[in-house]
Amino acid sequence: MIPASFDYVRPASLGEAVQVLTDAGEDAKVLSGGQSLLPLLRLRLAYPSVLVDVGRLEELRGIRDEDHHVYIGATTTHDEVVRSPVVNAECPLVALATATVADPAVRHRGTLGGSLAHADPAGDLPAVAVALDMEFVIHSTSGERVVAARDFFLDYLETALELGDVLAGIRVPKLGEGWGFHYEKFHRTAQAWAIVGVAAAVRLSGQASGEGRRIEEARIGLTNMGPTPVRATQVESAVRGAGLNGGDAVREAAQNAAEDTSPPTDLHAAPDYRRHLARVLTHRALLSAAAAV
Amino acid sequence: MTEEIDAGFVARQIAESDMLSEPAPDRHEVGAARRRKEDARLITGRTQWTDNIQLPGMLYVAFLRSPMAHARITRVDTSAALHHPGIVAAFSGRDFAGEQGSLPCVWPVTEDIVMPDHPPMAVDEVRYVGEAVACVIATDRYKASDALEAIEIDYEPLPAVLDMTEALKEGSPKVHEAGNRSFVWKFAQGDIDAAFRDAPVVVERTFVQQRLIPTAMEPRAVVAQTDGDSFTLHSSTQVPHILRIMLAQVTGIPEHKLRVVAPDVGGGFGSKLQVTAEEVLLLLLARRLGKPVKWTESRSEGNLTVHHGRDQLQRISLAADAEGHIRGLRVDLLADMGAYLMLVTPGIPILGAFMYNGIYKMDAYDFTCTGVFTTKMPTDAYRGAGRPEATFAIERLMDELAAELSLDPIEVRRRNWIAHEEFPYTTIAGMTYDSGNYEAATDKALALFGYDKLRAEQADRRDRGDPVQLGIGVSTFTEMCGLAPSRVLGSLSYGAGGWEHASVRMLPTGKVEVITGTSPHGQGHETAWSQIVADALSVPFDDVSVLHGDTAISHKGMDTYGSRSLVVGGVAVLQACDKVKEKARHIAAHMLEASADDIEFAGGSFKVRGTESGRTIQEVALAAFAAHDLPQGVEPSLDSDATFDPDNFSFPHGTHLCAVEVDTETGGTKIRLYVAVDDVGKVVNPMIVEGQVHGGLAQGIAQALFEEAVYDAEGNLLTTTMADYLLPSASDLPDFVTDRTETPATSNPLGVKGVGEAGTIASTPAVVNAIVDALRPYGVNDVTMPCSPERVWRAVQGGTS
Amino acid sequence: MTRITVTVDGVTYQEEVEPRLLLVHLLRDRLGKTGTPIGCDTGNCGACTVMMDGVSVKSCSVLAVQADGEDVLTIEGLSAGGPWHPMQQAFHEEHALQCGYCTPGMIMAAIDLLKDDPDPSEDAIREGLEGNLCRCTGYCNIVRAVRRGAQSMSAQEVTAS
């Protein structure tokens, strides 16, 4: 299918971009890599009046190691994220989850900022964002503001981005030493969206490889368990102190994974099955993350 | 030796300039894994897809499609579309009402079949989402898409009819005035009541053959043009010949004024075995506008409007004795026709009627099929067409019978199958299986699979209560191929014959052109037919060209579907070669001053028996071309035609074994090992045969695990894109272990059986049997397809799903 | 209309395009590069895969205006007039195509995946081709072809160095 007509602006700076967006009003859309937007345009599920192409703005690109966090420019591609030594060293969960996004060709064009701003709860990265407490650096004509991940995702495909806003970059807090990570994605085919996904980060106490290792702290984000990504806080609390060797403490903690979720019904799963999967997969994700410490 | 030919100036030049080919006597092409001739253009991007065609002044057509499953059209206004830039015309169904005719169905399976009118563009009523209701014609495809949105149509909703069982109930809303029952077709053999009476074992199941979207990678495209007198239609079709005659009937364009071309076609799998609304309408538009017109569907348009496959509800019961010998089989089928009967819609489930007995002996068989109308896209042929449904049902039941009797599923099959020494064998369904060796194929498969070891692992996992269970699925299948003996088609009320045509032309330089009535779209006929001809005429493989798919070149044919091309079309090629040789023998005799009776053809030359003196077939061809010195009354040509009509179907068979790991916690499944041993008779090109098996397996496995066309309660198709209709990628399938056994077909001189559908037919039950086998300890005895993780998980929870 | 400059298979074109024009339609309808086909409208099938700026992209999911200033390589430019690329040869040798509709995109994706991993395992090949659907081959021979192509490409490199 073929998109409806729109105007196209390629601003030379972030300042110009926010001005153009502000002037253009609510029918304007930001174009980054276009990997979520173009299919919507082709199916005529979106009719923007103007696309503001920020894909070439150097100031939105790149990955920087900044003291307490890693800064990832919004138009950094998935492929660049997956390859980044900084990301793999400091926030590997982002790389692990990004490597499962779509396929190589899409990852060459698709961007981290684009995926997060699209805010599809079935996408793999929003769950990572809430698990890691990412911060969203947003520019508008009134300057820069920073929004926490928990405040960024408002509803299905709806974010804190307002008219005239451009997502400039994402700060990923460094968790420090001693963490292990895993993204558990459950889908029917490689191309299909996750029925449920679990992004997990785990810090352990006790001796390495010794008996009595326990989960000291965990961070868990759930994909496709509601209109927004879900932070599984009840599991995080319940799993604190859970021993890894013998016993079912982690499994029991993971039983809380479906609390406070409102999973959707679609072609591939009903809510009760998604709730069940969230429990099983959270258990597995925690163990895999622990094994990766 | 060539200078001996007294052949005139041109022929002498050919002879003297080394242009004249020489025989290739020592190669045996048939049986060799020749790399394909087709590949060169396909791997370099020089392919001629229909959408590639650009003609001066060409206009682009876009169709507006019904958003309603069932509604009366109360108002159509296309005028606003005309105000869009670049719009040449816009029409609704009413504008075509007088000339568009009705899309054909050529298979009225019963005398009293309800066969409703099927206007290519809806006029008063729409009966499925996606039915064409209007069109615009524009100077480019972008403008055409825009203008569609300006067309106004008012609908008065009518009730959707979506469930076959509900549709047959008294008082159900009707799809057509004549009701929702299109036909009831019956077949019975033996005393079925006796077979079931006091039977020690009766196994009953209801299986759902979900609706599938065939999804050839190339979306359909059509280009129509006319010079005011004659018409040319390019279409991404499997059936240019059938299309020509049917389009002539529908549009009134005389057959000899209509040329149909299937250029390179990007897959079909039955979906392009059709006479479509778009093909008819583009011809009408070309006639009306006097300009070439093109239409190319988008994938989401195609998912709505390319005919769908399967969609049957199978109620089946099997009676057996205490040792597991089958006594009788009862099949009661509901087949969803969709909203209309298309080209062979009603015949698809009937093709299955002869296959429910599979490879097994039994005393009685009773089959009933009811064709039901619903407000959905019509169904029609999809890879296997009727036989996958039948094979699935019987192979699933054999596993259930084994479980019932606590027998190994292989053992139950051994007790029932036709032994190799019993061929030819006439089955309870009336088919005469000419050859086969089920024991050999099964033994080979078991060895390759490591059956006993995997059974041991399965037992171990069960003992340990491993959350990941192992299941082993068996499918010992046969199918009927080589569609089809014309007299059989006649007895089944099919609208035409099942023969195939070929021509072989010897060119003056000794090169060979083969014209085939088959219409390949990925099957490699250019290569395989070249191999047959190379051997038959002892000419080099590279000296043969195969022409097809254009009714101006290949005027006669029945096209490609139903694993028929080699079995019928390949034999026609062979027979045409025989005629070439016979003609050449007479000319060679004259050249050698001998009697034709003393001439033999060996090593590419015609020789006087017992002597070394001879003439190559190329020299004879050149002499025929020059024609300066031919025997009295002999025409100056070696070119020959042959039309082959088989006496019987062919019956490929095989044993497929599948090991699936089932994660009982998530319902996820993973194929660990898939072994396919197929017996497709003699093989012309083992590489192509293996490729056909691979692709067939992928589609059959995808039915078992992934694919399903889903309509919602209002009759909207929910799986309109590839994001929703799940097709397997490379990561979703295992490597396949394939091998063959070989019992030649006795029904054709090549000994071939056909391979296009075998993998698809065999694999679906193998996979589902494996999943059910894994879950037997959980009380599971069926999982509905596609066996999605959710369905598998629910089966584990509830013992069934 | 927006003016763009794009190099395709070594030829530089200046075109006035509507912003909504898809790169694949620019290639096919404007530049006659019909070797790159279209198989879907959601970016799933990968039939339209080309190289842009040296990496694989789905040309149905890129606007022509986004290709402004870029260097695009299609299947037609892979071996333009010369001997086949080793991956084309490998697809031929291993019978990795039947109808051939997915083949241009599949070959491009295959070449792309070898850039990171010149000697990929079967699993790596299958994962690397996740974005390209084939309906004919069941992928077995495609996987074999990519392995063969990888071997001859490394051999070529050894010879060249």
Side-chain angles (χ1 to χ4, degrees), chain B residues 105-108 245-246 249 343-344 489-490 492-498 558:
Chain B
C105 171
V106 299
W107 205 336
I245 180 151
M246 297 318 302
Q249 284 190 26
L343 193 62
V344 292
L489 291 178
L492 292 173
S493 312
Y494 181 69
M558 280 292 176

Side-chain angles (χ1 to χ4, degrees), chain B residues 323-581:
Chain B
E323 283 74 47
H325 298 108
I326 304 170
R327 293 167 54 158
L329 182 67
R330 226 184 235 136
V331 178
D332 183 6
L333 212 59
L334 299 184
D336 194 338
M337 305 284 100
Y340 301 97
L341 303 182
M342 294 193 75
L343 193 62
V344 292
T345 301
I348 299 303
I350 308 311
L351 275 175
F354 307 97
M355 285 285 112
Y356 274 87
N357 52 295
I359 62 170
Y360 311 112
K361 297 178 278 191
M362 57 188 74
D363 305 325
Y365 173 49
D366 187 273
F367 174 94
T368 303
C369 174
T370 306
V372 186
F373 289 115
T374 59
T375 53
K376 298 181 189 173
M377 180 66 208
T379 57
D380 208 318
Y382 171 56
R383 202 168 191 171
R387 291 102 86 211
E389 298 92 311
T391 303
F392 180 88
I394 187 65
E395 289 306 300
R396 280 284 299 113
L397 273 195
M398 292 309 281
D399 262 35
E400 294 306 309
L401 177 61
E404 195 82 17
L405 295 169
S406 300
L407 287 170
D408 186 281
I410 300 279
E411 177 55 28
V412 156
R413 287 168 169 83
R414 279 190 201 281
R415 290 182 189 182
N416 285 286
W417 70 36
I418 302 156
H420 69 274
E421 65 274 11
E422 294 179 273
F423 290 93
Y425 183 92
T426 299
T427 71
I428 193 74
M431 289 281 137
T432 301
Y433 295 177
D434 61 325
S435 70
N437 189 332
Y438 309 137
E439 301 93 320
T442 301
D443 290 346
K444 196 167 203 173
L446 290 172
L448 285 168
F449 192 71
Y451 188 79
D452 295 338
K453 211 170 153 209
L454 282 165
R455 281 282 179 218
E457 181 185 332
Q458 175 183 53
D460 178 56
R461 285 184 191 240
R462 282 180 181 173
D463 291 346
R464 283 190 286 118
D466 192 330
V468 179
Q469 289 287 315
L470 182 70
I472 294 168
V474 180
S475 173
T476 50
F477 79 104
T478 189
E479 54 155 333
M480 50 197 260
C481 285
L483 307 186
S486 297
R487 65 179 168 78
V488 178
L489 291 178
S491 73
L492 292 173
S493 312
Y494 181 69
W499 46 262
E500 194 47 85
H501 184 75
S503 305
V504 173
R505 302 175 186 155
M506 289 294 298
L507 305 184
T509 56
K511 303 285 194 270
V512 186
E513 281 180 342
V514 179
I515 297 101
T516 178
T518 62
S519 195
H521 40 283
Q523 295 86 346
H525 298 176
E526 291 169 33
T527 303
W529 287 199
S530 294
Q531 291 177 269
I532 292 170
V533 171
D535 277 7
L537 301 180
S538 294
V539 299
F541 172 76
D542 289 330
D543 279 3
V544 186
S545 278
V546 178
L547 310 176
H548 58 80
D550 179 345
T551 60
I553 295 168
S554 160
H555 70 289
K556 199 175 169 190
M558 280 292 176
D559 307 313
T560 287
Y561 45 84
S563 305
R564 70 185 303 274
S565 295
L566 176 61
V567 184
V568 191
V571 172
V573 168
L574 183 71
Q575 292 183 335
C577 288
D578 289 341
K579 290 185 182 175
V580 167
K581 284 187 287 190

Side-chain angles (χ1 to χ4, degrees), chain A residues 1-291:
Chain A
M1 285 177 78
I2 289 159
S5 280
F6 48 76
D7 290 329
Y8 173 80
V9 182
R10 193 192 297 154
S13 67
L14 181 53
E16 190 188 334
V18 295
Q19 192 60 56
V20 171
L21 276 167
T22 306
D23 295 347
E26 60 185 19
D27 292 336
K29 266 275 193 197
V30 176
L31 172 66
S32 178
Q35 300 302 288
S36 301
L37 184 57
L38 256 77
L40 293 180
L41 296 178
R42 291 180 72 196
L43 297 169
R44 298 206 172 194
L45 297 172
Y47 287 81
S49 59
V50 55
L51 290 192
V52 180
D53 184 356
V54 300
R56 294 179 187 222
L57 293 177
E58 277 308 315
E59 43 200 311
L60 296 187
R61 275 195 111 81
I63 297 166
R64 297 195 295 272
D65 191 343
E66 295 180 342
D67 276 0
H68 299 297
H69 58 253
V70 174
Y71 181 86
I72 306 176
T75 64
T76 307
T77 66
H78 299 308
D79 189 57
E80 288 162 347
V81 168
V82 171
R83 290 164 191 275
S84 161
V86 173
V87 171
N88 280 286
E90 300 295 342
C91 48
L93 184 56
V94 180
L96 290 170
T98 303
T100 74
V101 172
D103 59 68
V106 170
R107 292 197 293 272
H108 286 144
R109 295 289 301 165
T111 67
L112 175 62
S115 286
L116 292 172
H118 185 52
D120 188 335
D124 301 296
L125 300 174
V128 178
V130 298
L132 297 181
D133 287 319
M134 288 184 191
E135 294 175 333
F136 291 70
V137 181
I138 298 167
H139 279 242
S140 70
T141 48
S142 34
E144 180 182 302
R145 69 183 195 281
V146 177
V147 175
R150 65 178 171 276
D151 301 322
F152 183 78
F153 300 102
L154 302 181
D155 204 342
Y156 180 72
L157 306 185
E158 206 179 312
T159 68
L161 289 167
E162 291 174 5
L163 180 69
D165 280 349
V166 171
L167 177 61
I170 295 98
R171 292 181 191 152
V172 188
K174 294 182 185 172
L175 297 184
E177 295 297 306
W179 287 81
F181 303 94
H182 185 74
Y183 184 64
E184 182 79 24
K185 183 173 182 172
F186 190 81
H187 48 170
R188 287 183 60 192
T189 60
Q191 292 202 345
W193 298 98
I195 295 176
V196 172
V198 181
V202 164
R203 187 165 61 83
L204 302 183
S205 68
Q207 298 299 313
S209 76
E211 284 202 15
R213 293 210 85 177
R214 293 180 181 284
I215 291 180
E216 188 77 5
E217 189 180 353
R219 292 162 163 267
I220 300 157
L222 303 178
T223 297
N224 219 1
M225 285 297 289
T228 60
V230 176
R231 182 82 179 257
T233 50
Q234 296 206 29
V235 181
E236 291 178 8
S237 316
V239 83
R240 199 162 291 149
L244 290 171
N245 295 344
D248 277 334
V250 179
R251 186 188 291 273
E252 274 163 32
Q255 292 309 306
N256 297 300
E259 301 300 317
D260 302 326
T261 63
S262 46
T265 299
D266 61 22
L267 286 171
H268 309 302
D272 65 325
Y273 173 59
R274 280 200 158 90
R275 288 193 190 95
H276 165 78
L277 275 183
R279 296 181 195 111
V280 173
L281 300 177
T282 296
H283 176 226
R284 293 182 183 181
L286 286 167
L287 294 183
S288 296

